[in-house]
Amino acid sequence: LQLASLHDVIDQALSLYEGLFAEVRIDRRLAPDVPARRLDADQMKRVLINLVDNAIEATDKKGTVVVSTEFDRAQGRVRLGVADDGPGIRPEDKDKLFVPTFSTKRRGSGLGLAIVSRIVQEHQGVIRVEDNRPHGARFVVELPA
C-alpha cells in the first residue's frame, strides 16, 4: 500500500472509457476535500473498472453513470460511489451479489463483484449496494480515511 490520491485512481480508470460508448455519459462528482490515503492503486483501479463496466452494462450502453466521492470527516471515512440509471437490482439478488459464482448476467461468471469485495476488504473497507433514485443501482465503497 502506498499513499495515493483516490481521485488520481478515478481519473486513470475513467480515461479508459473516453470515446468508447457514444450513448453513455460518465459524470464525476468528486469532493474536493478527499484526503490521500494508503492504497494499492492498481487494485482500486480494478474495483472501479469492474463497477463502471457493470454500470454501463446495466444501462444497456445508453445511460448515465455517476462516479462520486465524499469525505465524512466525523466518521473518518471516504466514500466512493458508482451509480447508474439502469433498471436496478432485484431485492432478492442484493444479498447474493458479492458471493462467488452468483451472477445476474447470462454470460457472467459471478467472480467480478466477489473480487471487488475482497479488494475492498483488504483495504479495511466495506462495499454495499443500494437503490439509486429514481431508478438504477448505486454501489458504495467505504474506506477508512
Side-chain angles (χ1 to χ4, degrees), residues 74-132:
Q75 292 187 8
R77 307 290 280 175
V78 172
R79 289 187 194 90
L80 166 65
V82 178
D84 65 66
D85 59 359
I89 297 169
R90 298 179 330 172
E92 61 268 25
D93 290 341
K94 287 181 182 175
D95 289 340
K96 299 179 268 188
L97 284 178
F98 303 104
V99 174
T101 71
F102 176 79
S103 180
T104 60
K105 303 174 193 172
R106 275 179 280 161
R107 298 180 328 273
S109 67
L111 292 176
L113 288 175
I115 291 169
V116 163
S117 178
R118 180 60 175 241
I119 292 168
V120 170
Q121 288 172 10
E122 288 172 354
H123 284 80
Q124 287 77 49
V126 294
I127 185 169
R128 68 178 182 277
V129 64
E130 55 194 35
D131 293 333
N132 187 36

Side-chain angles (χ1 to χ4, degrees), residues 8-145:
D8 287 347
V9 171
I10 292 168
D11 288 341
Q12 290 169 17
L14 295 186
S15 72
L16 301 172
Y17 296 93
E18 290 173 9
L20 278 186
F21 300 99
E23 298 182 66
V24 173
R25 189 173 88 220
I26 299 178
D27 289 342
R28 298 172 201 216
R29 298 185 186 155
L30 308 181
D33 61 344
V34 172
R37 69 173 309 273
R38 292 179 55 78
L39 52 84
D40 181 327
D42 289 336
Q43 292 298 326
M44 287 308 295
K45 192 160 105 176
R46 176 183 279 183
V47 165
L48 194 59
I49 289 169
N50 187 287
L51 295 177
V52 171
D53 283 349
N54 288 350
I56 289 170
E57 191 167 321
T59 68
D60 207 18
K61 298 180 184 165
K62 46 186 172 224
T64 301
V65 175
V66 177
V67 176
S68 61
T69 58
E70 78 177 89
F71 177 41
D72 184 335
R73 191 175 308 278
Q75 292 187 8
R77 307 290 280 175
V78 172
R79 289 187 194 90
L80 166 65
V82 178
D84 65 66
D85 59 359
I89 297 169
R90 298 179 330 172
E92 61 268 25
D93 290 341
K94 287 181 182 175
D95 289 340
K96 299 179 268 188
L97 284 178
F98 303 104
V99 174
T101 71
F102 176 79
S103 180
T104 60
K105 303 174 193 172
R106 275 179 280 161
R107 298 180 328 273
S109 67
L111 292 176
L113 288 175
I115 291 169
V116 163
S117 178
R118 180 60 175 241
I119 292 168
V120 170
Q121 288 172 10
E122 288 172 354
H123 284 80
Q124 287 77 49
V126 294
I127 185 169
R128 68 178 182 277
V129 64
E130 55 194 35
D131 293 333
N132 187 36
R133 304 284 182 217
H135 53 87
R138 181 171 188 255
F139 285 82
V140 179
V141 173
E142 284 198 26
L143 301 168

